Amino acid sequence: REGLKFAQGKPAKVKVETLFIRTTGQDIKDARNILKVSQPQFARIMAVSSETVKKWEQGKNPIPAAVGYWAEGIKTHPSQTKKLLFEMAGKLTGLVHATGH
C-alpha cells in the first residue's frame, strides 16, 4: 500500500533506491510470462498499444525506463510486484476485470 501511495505521488513510508537496468525484449516477454498475460493484456496494463508491446519484444522500439523497472520487479519480486501492478492498473484504468486479476 505504501508503494502505491508513492507511485501516486502521495506521502509514503518507503525507501526509494535508484535502479539502473537495461531492459530487452526478452525481459518484457519474461515479465509477461510470469504475469501469465498476453501482449494485448500487458499493453492495457502498461497503457500502450499491443503493437508497442510487440515492437518492444522484437527490439524495434526502445523500452521506457518505467516499463523496464516494472519488468525487473516482476522478475525479482513477482508476487509483490504483480499485486502492486494489478492494483495500480485497476485503479487507473479499470483493468483488473479486463485481465482477470
Side-chain angles (χ1 to χ4, degrees):
R1 299 220 181 269
E2 291 300 309
L4 180 59
K5 287 180 191 176
F6 178 81
Q8 293 172 333
K10 298 176 183 174
K13 297 176 185 174
V14 294
K15 180 180 178 184
V16 178
E17 298 179 12
T18 302
L19 176 64
F20 297 100
I21 59 169
R22 175 160 163 32
T23 307
T24 66
Q26 187 61 51
D27 294 322
I28 300 301
K29 285 181 192 177
D30 292 346
R32 274 196 318 100
N33 287 333
I34 291 167
L35 292 175
K36 297 181 173 126
V37 296
S38 65
Q39 284 181 343
Q41 289 171 320
F42 191 76
R44 285 193 298 273
I45 293 166
M46 293 295 153
V48 298
S49 71
S50 54
E51 186 66 23
T52 296
V53 173
K54 180 180 174 183
K55 288 181 179 181
W56 287 341
E57 292 185 1
Q58 293 173 340
K60 293 181 179 179
N61 278 10
I63 300 165
V67 175
Y69 292 133
W70 279 116
E72 184 64 21
I74 291 163
K75 289 169 66 176
T76 58
H77 302 288
S79 60
Q80 299 95 327
T81 305
K82 181 178 180 177
K83 181 179 177 184
L84 180 60
L85 181 61
F86 282 116
E87 188 173 337
M88 285 181 57
K91 287 181 186 250
L92 295 174
T93 62
L95 291 175
V96 172
H97 301 294
T99 60
H101 291 83

